[in-house]
Every structure is written in C-alpha cells, then in structure tokens.
Amino acid sequence: MEPLSHRGLPRLSWIDTLYSNFNYGAEDYDAEGNEEPKALPEGSETMPYIDESPTMSPQLSARGQESGDGVSPTPADGLSTGGERDAGKGLEMRKLVLSGFLASEEIYINQLEALLLPMKPLKATATTSQPVLTLQQIETIFYKIQDIYEIHKEFYDNLCPKVQQWDSNITMGHLFQKLASQLGVYKAFVDNYKIALETAEKCSQSNYQFQKISEELKVKGPKDSKESHTSVTMEALLYKPIDRVTRSTLVLHDLLKHTPSDHPDYPLLQDALRISQNFLSSINEDIDPRRTAVTTPKGETRQLIKDGFLVELSEGSRKLRHVFLFTDVLLCAKLKKTAVGKHQQYDCKWYVPLADLVFPSPEESEHCPQVHVIPDHELEDMKMKISAIKSEVQKEKANKGQSRAIERLKKKMFENEFWLLLNSPAIPFRIHNRNGKSYLFLLSSDYERSEWREAIQKLQKKDLQAFVLSSVELQVLTGSCFKLRTVHNIPVTSNKDDDESPGLYGFLHVIVHSAKGFKQSANLYCTLEVDSFGYFVSKAKTRVFRDTTEPQWNEVRGGCGVWGRDRAHLPAQALELIQVLVLSHPLSSPQEFEIELEGSQSLRILCYEKCYDKTKLNKDNNEIVDKIMGKGQIQLDPQAVQTKNWHMDVIEMNGIKVEFSMKFTSRDMSLKRTPSKKQTGVFGVKISVVTKRERSKVPYIVRQCIEEVEKRGIEEVGIYRISGVATDIQALKAVFDANNKDILVMLSDMDINAIAGTLKLYFRELPEPLLTDRLYPAFMEGIALSDPAAKENCMMHLLRSLPDPNLITFLFLLEHLKRVAEKEPINKMSLHNLATVFGPTLLRPSEGESKGHLTLASDIWSHDVMAQVQVLLYYLQHPPISFTELKRNTLYFSTDV
C-alpha cells in the first residue's frame, strides 16, 4: 500500500491533522530511535502523543482550513509538496510539539504538588500520640515524589522561557539530555510503585482520615484554565510518574522527526532518546503504562482498572469470559482461537459504558435467568479425579516417566479443572445496561463479587458520560486487551509452575473473637472463605450478634452466646456446666471452626450486616442480600501457621478490625487415632468396651445424636456437610464423656450442626475405624471387583466379618443416612454427599499404611479416598441389610479377597 502523499490527503480539521501526524507507537522504533517500516493492521492500536493542555494553537487550525493542506502521517521529510524538507515548517512543528509538552508538564507538576501537599501534615502527626500514618508508611507511599518534583520543576523553569522567546536558533537538547540522565530516580519509584499502592490501599481501609484525604486531592488547574482545582484520587496521582516516562519518550521521537540532522540539538536528543528507551525496556512490564492504559482516538487515556476470568450464564449455558474494567466502560471478551504462531486476540462479546451500568436489586432480578446449580456430589467427584491425576503426575515425575505421558495427564487434569471452574460458581452477579440488556455472571465467592461491585461504583462517582463506541473504537479497545491484561492464565492449579507452593492440606482451626470500628449498631456476623482448586469457597459462618457496634463472639450470653438461644429454662447445674466447658477452652472462644484445606493459600474474612427484611429476599437461593460491611484477606504462610499453638491476628477492613486466631493441623496428624487413656468416657474408647459398659447394642452417643438429627435436623440444608462450631462440639464431647444427666436438655437446645459434628467426631476418634483396620485391604479390593455377583458376595461377607458391636452400629447409621437422603430435595444431601462425608471416617487405613499413602500433600483425594467413598455408597444404595439375615447366610470363603 502506497503511503499517502501530501497532495492526496483530504481536507482535515486541524485536530484530525494533528492526530494523524502524532502517531507515536513506541514499538515502531528500534533502540537507536530510527523508525522501522511497519504496516499497521486494520483496527490496530496506535499511541498518539496525548496533549493535556486545555487549548491548542488556533493558528494551525486557521492555516489548515484556509489552505486545505494537511500534515502527512509520513515521516517529516515528506512534509513539503516536492518531497524535500521545509526547514521553516519543521521548526514550526518543533515549537508546537514543545508548546504542547510544556503545557502538559505544567499539569504534571501541579499533580506532583497535590500529591506532596498532605505529606508534611501527615509527617507532623506521625510523632504525636494519635498518628494518622506511621513514618514508615509515609516514606513508602510518597517515596521519591519530592525528588521527581524537583527534577521536573527545574526542567520546566529552564524550558519555559526558551519556548516563550522562540526563534530558530534556540537550543534545548541539553535540557532533555539532563532529564533523561535523572531517570534513575524513576527506576527507584517504579520498583516501589506496587508496594506504595498496596500500603496506601491498606491505610485507607484501616484509617478513615487517610481515606478521606486520599480520595479527594486538589490539583491546581493550568494558568489559562477556567477551573481552579480538580479532585483526583491518590491512586491516580501515584500512577502519573509512570505515565510521564513513556510520554516524554514519545515527545523525543517527535522532536527528532522535526529537528534537522545538522541542528546542534539533534545528537543531544538522540542521546536522550537512547537513554529513555533503554530505561523503558528495563522497567517492570507489569506496571509499564503501555500495558495499563489505551489512548482513545480523541487523545484521552482509558486506563485498565481490573480484569479477571468470570463465568457468564449466556443463552442458558456457562461460558468462561475475560472481563475488563476500564475507567469508563466494562468490556466482556473471550479469547479467539488462533493458529499456532499467530498473534492472539480477544473477541468482544458486549460492553456497557459505566454511565449506563446499574446493579439490579434482588427483587428486580426476578426476570433474570435462574441459576442451575451443579449437584455437590458431581463437584466432589471431579475434585477426586483431579487429585488422583495429580498423584499420577507426581508418581510419573518421581519415576522419571516419559514426558508424553506426563503431558497427557496434565492435559486431562486441565480439562477436569476447567470443568470444575466453569460449573462450581453459583453466586449471581447481575449487570444491567439501563438502555436494555441484562447480563449474569456466576461467582464462587461473595468477596470477589464485592470487589467487582466496589471497583465499578468507585469509578461511577466520577462525572461519566454515556457513549457508543464506533466499530473502529471497539476494535482498538478490544485489540488492546491482550497487551493490557494483568490476569494471563485461567486460575487452575495445572497452570502453576512446579516450583510454586502447592498450598496447605489439612485442617485450619479458626476462632473469631470480636470486631470493632462500626459507626452504628447492627446485626453482625462474619463468614470465612478459603481457596481450593483455583477458586474461593465459603467454609464457615459465625452467629449473628444483634444490635451492637462491637460484636464479641467469645461472650457467653443469651441471644448471641454459645448456642444462640435463650436458655433461661435450663437447670442451673446445666448452665454452670456449659460455662465451665466454654471457659476452659483455649482463648475462651465459642467461635472456633474447623476448615478443611485442599491446597489453600489464603483465608478471607467478610463481615456482614444481617438483613431481616423479607421483601428483599429473592426467590433465587444463591442470592446474598446481606450487606458487606468490610472484607479482608491474609496469606496462609506454612511456616507461620504450622505450629501447635494458636496464632492471633487482626484483619483491618474499611476502618473495621476483626480479631481472630488460628492454628493448622496437617493431614497426616489428623489421621492419627489416639486411644483415650481413661476408659470411663466414650470418645477414643473401643466401641466394644462402650457397648459392654452401657449394656447396649449401639453406643448411647450414636443413638442420641441420630435421634436429635432426625427430630429437628433432617431437613437442615447441608446437614453433616456444614461444620458446627468446634467449641459447641467440644462441650458436647465433654458432657457425653462425663455421662452428665443433663445431656438430653443440652441436646434439645444445641445447634443441630454441632450435634451432627459430634457424631462425626465420635467415629473419627475411635481407636480404630468402625469397619476396622484388619478388613480395610479387603474392602478396597472388594469394591474394585467388576462382576456384580462376586462383589455382592464379597461385600456382604466383609460385613459379616465385623465384630457384632461394629456391625450393628454400622447398620444403624446406614439406615439413618438413607432417611436423611430421602429429604435430599430439601436438605441437598444425596447418598453420594453423605458417603463423601462419612466414607473416609468409617473406613481408613491403619496409621502404618497411611504413612505410605501420604507422601504427598495432594494425595488426600487419592484413589484410596475415592474407594472409601464408594464402599459406603455401595451399602447406602443396597436394599435394607438385616443383621439377622446376614448372620444366617454364611458363605464359606476367606476374607482375603
């Protein structure tokens, strides 16, 4: 395609002319500043010099319109009609470039001044008894800003008179050369940039005064501007120095274009450009402004604020999308399929200008598509498959297996993880365009939903205008997404490098103590989330503490204490026993939760205000209408967490402080069964000893817990799957061990999930599992048999081989679990769900065998665990099994299957 000649250009307005000339794509230049010939594909992104001055030269406008001449987008030597360089016009263009740059430099200096303005008073308060920030925090946030300000103030003061008294002999190359030589200050700023942002964000969340300061910094307007001040956030101002380096480099490109090679400035500008380009190539690409912002055809900066992978419910099916939040628009895209070696690109599915974006309330969402939730057992099955493949990969690597086999396994693991990522989210996140269509995303975490909502609402506080993107503008914006994205990989564990931390496997015990910092009384509770298989899930929830500004979840009192009911009717002796049991627990906290970790690396705490307004409740069970008051996250550091002692910590969130403690128990420690030293209790005591002492066929604790669950918990959603508060369970354990006469009264008042948890704990703490260590290998081999008749004979014979107390108790539990599963439409607990919960508890390898199975942390979902679940599921799906019939039908073959 031939370059457009000066003569062949159509009549253009002066601003169109200027934009067509100022095409500063930094990639079009080599390290020496020479322009490389490069054909731009249709719709490709260009990066024009963005002039921030309020006005441009009216002389250029008049001249361009009167003569019909435009400025060619070809290099400067094509400016004149004859193709020869017109020195006068070149120098005039030089002046225009410098004038625009000088005006934007003034704005930049004003921005730096605004950033520095709060620094002195913050430092003054740092040494007082009530500091807003510490000196260390101030140094981190404002690092090198003063130095950068002084450099640019000196540069501006020297350049300004030269531009104002312009003539063709003026030189200023030495000023740009000196500016480039001071880029080391910028390198220090860039290296600290992310830490500065994180510190500012954390300080804003924990200190209301600093939050107000950082949200509205006043930037002085240019001398010729009508606006005296504009309000800008600290986050936006901290980005300006990074943005400035690239813009200065782009200006050097243009100055060289319009500077004759025999001009004294030419070698100085070349040197300055070389230094600047080398600097740009060396700084961290993650915060390179070319990767965080795109320039609109009107010369405005559209910055990327947030991006990530979300599941969209589109036309009744789940689709994985990459969502990009810019300063004025939300764009939903998917990655195009491209041939190997081809440049990858995104395809825009839809976009909504933020000025038109609204979040429909739950009651307004009734006409939105309903969420189809994948059954839990299908998700659990997939987790088991993934973990089994992980184990195979590790074994192949350990045995130095073929790379093809490993790659094949990794591919299969990715496919399964992708399915899990696509099908596990169920929390609706609805987006509505006030001009028409609504969109529905599904998220696995309310924390994540809140982050997206808050980021959008923060941008909507600005004076945003509605707009419609032209096809070219949309193409440019979508084309920029691949370069700008900050999230590069789908969040699945198979995308992790081998040297990355596999996360923690085992049990995290968390105690939520209290929270403070609320401005008004409210009904408050917290939820806990951990990451698992590449996404976050909610694992536990504290009780609601009513009408308070300082919830104390570790208090023992009616209405919000240990069991959340008024217990004035309890006998004094029972109340005294409860008090003793709770206060004797570590840290005197009833809000202890046991959370299973599956490769987890982070813990999130969300604080909610409970909504009791029934009119706001949506028909969609997955809709969360309670208001998030604050949220925070901590990394689970294996070194810090893996101790036997409790570790106390505080999460700060929007001025709210939540105090909690935690300790971690590894998977291999949780498998250890410690027999009780005293044989008077029931926990940790052989089942035969307990039934003999009680003169019963089934232990009293099993009968009473099952009776209470069937009385008032059989329709409880997630019964046996949702954890009860650990301290409630420990209190019940102590009461059963002491054989206290008030057991029945306590059971009737206790939270049903704590009773279900007590039953599970009893089976878990038996000195050997209910189906015995001796028969474990036979159960594993029996369930693997292919022939149905052989499997039936074997599995029934293995039951027959159990000691009578074990068999009778197992059959008693089996019938109870079947009755629970009959209520699956209400309690969401299928036979498979119940087998997943109880299988590994009733059937485990002996401690000696388990050491061999747990060489890898990720083996917790190994083939053995899958088989344990399948054994219990086999018996649950079997027609009723009678103890008498079993004993009558004796088969003559060995238990060694």
Side-chain angles (χ1 to χ4, degrees), residues 380-422:
E380 295 302 326
D381 274 351
M382 188 56 75
K383 287 180 184 179
M384 290 180 183
K385 288 178 184 176
I386 292 166
S387 295
I389 296 171
K390 277 185 190 176
S391 299
E392 288 184 48
V393 170
Q394 295 296 338
K395 286 171 188 171
E396 284 286 341
K397 286 181 179 178
N399 298 329
K400 296 183 179 178
Q402 292 184 357
S403 58
R404 281 187 182 179
I406 293 172
E407 287 306 313
R408 192 164 55 249
L409 286 169
K410 281 188 172 181
K411 183 182 177 184
K412 185 65 178 174
M413 186 165 76
F414 176 84
E415 289 170 357
N416 288 345
E417 286 191 304
F418 186 83
W419 183 93
L420 193 63
L421 186 72
L422 204 61

Side-chain angles (χ1 to χ4, degrees), residues 513-525 543-553 555 557 559-560 607-610 629 656:
H513 298 295
S514 61
K516 54 187 175 184
F518 298 97
K519 295 181 177 63
Q520 295 179 342
S521 290
N523 305 313
L524 304 166
Y525 70 93
R543 293 184 189 82
V544 178
F545 204 107
R546 294 195 173 219
D547 195 25
T548 183
T549 56
E550 293 193 3
Q552 301 284 334
W553 286 287
E555 283 190 3
R557 70 185 198 188
C560 51
C607 201
Y608 289 88
E609 178 183 358
K610 181 68 179 173
M629 305 298 287
I656 300 164

Side-chain angles (χ1 to χ4, degrees), residues 205-218:
Q205 289 181 354
S206 59
N207 190 293
Y208 182 71
Q209 282 179 279
F210 183 70
Q211 184 184 5
K212 294 299 289 181
I213 293 168
S214 62
E215 281 182 353
E216 290 189 8
L217 291 172
K218 301 294 183 185

Side-chain angles (χ1 to χ4, degrees), residues 29-35 253 256 270-271 273-274 277-278:
Y29 293 82
D30 62 23
E32 298 302 319
N34 303 313
E35 190 170 4
H253 279 305
L256 268 174
Q270 264 195 326
D271 190 46
L273 181 61
R274 178 185 56 79
Q277 285 182 322
N278 288 342

Side-chain angles (χ1 to χ4, degrees), residues 735-786:
V735 172
F736 275 111
D737 268 341
N739 195 24
N740 190 278
K741 63 180 182 181
D742 292 312
I743 288 175
L744 293 179
V745 179
M746 286 182 63
L747 278 174
S748 65
D749 192 67
M750 181 67 71
D751 173 58
I752 199 65
N753 287 315
I755 296 171
T758 303
L759 182 63
K760 290 189 292 181
L761 182 67
Y762 170 73
F763 286 119
R764 195 160 66 234
E765 291 196 358
L766 284 172
E768 73 167 352
L770 189 64
L771 300 186
T772 72
D773 290 334
R774 180 178 65 88
L775 293 175
Y776 179 79
F779 274 113
M780 292 297 96
E781 292 181 29
I783 198 64
L785 291 173
S786 301

Side-chain angles (χ1 to χ4, degrees), residues 694-840:
E694 294 177 352
R695 296 179 182 177
S696 62
K697 293 182 178 180
V698 176
Y700 179 71
I701 182 174
V702 175
R703 286 183 280 124
Q704 289 309 129
C705 288
I706 285 177
E707 183 180 320
E708 199 64 35
V709 168
E710 294 198 357
K711 187 189 297 180
R712 59 186 179 90
I714 202 162
E715 294 186 351
E716 182 81 10
V717 174
I719 188 69
Y720 290 119
R721 182 176 56 80
I722 292 177
S723 301
V725 177
T727 315
D728 291 2
I729 296 170
Q730 291 300 323
L732 271 177
K733 174 184 175 181
V735 172
F736 275 111
D737 268 341
N739 195 24
N740 190 278
K741 63 180 182 181
D742 292 312
I743 288 175
L744 293 179
V745 179
M746 286 182 63
L747 278 174
S748 65
D749 192 67
M750 181 67 71
D751 173 58
I752 199 65
N753 287 315
I755 296 171
T758 303
L759 182 63
K760 290 189 292 181
L761 182 67
Y762 170 73
F763 286 119
R764 195 160 66 234
E765 291 196 358
L766 284 172
E768 73 167 352
L770 189 64
L771 300 186
T772 72
D773 290 334
R774 180 178 65 88
L775 293 175
Y776 179 79
F779 274 113
M780 292 297 96
E781 292 181 29
I783 198 64
L785 291 173
S786 301
D787 179 58
K791 183 184 284 189
E792 167 78 8
N793 285 340
C794 178
M795 299 301 278
M796 291 303 113
H797 179 69
L798 289 172
L799 283 188
R800 203 174 292 113
S801 304
L802 288 169
D804 283 0
N806 296 56
L807 175 57
I808 295 170
T809 302
F810 178 68
L811 295 177
F812 187 78
L813 175 65
L814 207 61
E815 292 309 307
H816 163 65
L817 295 179
K818 288 180 180 181
R819 288 191 290 273
V820 171
E822 287 172 3
K823 300 288 184 179
E824 182 192 354
I826 303 169
N827 62 31
K828 311 298 182 188
M829 293 301 291
S830 62
L831 289 175
H832 196 290
N833 286 348
L834 293 164
T836 302
V837 171
F838 278 94

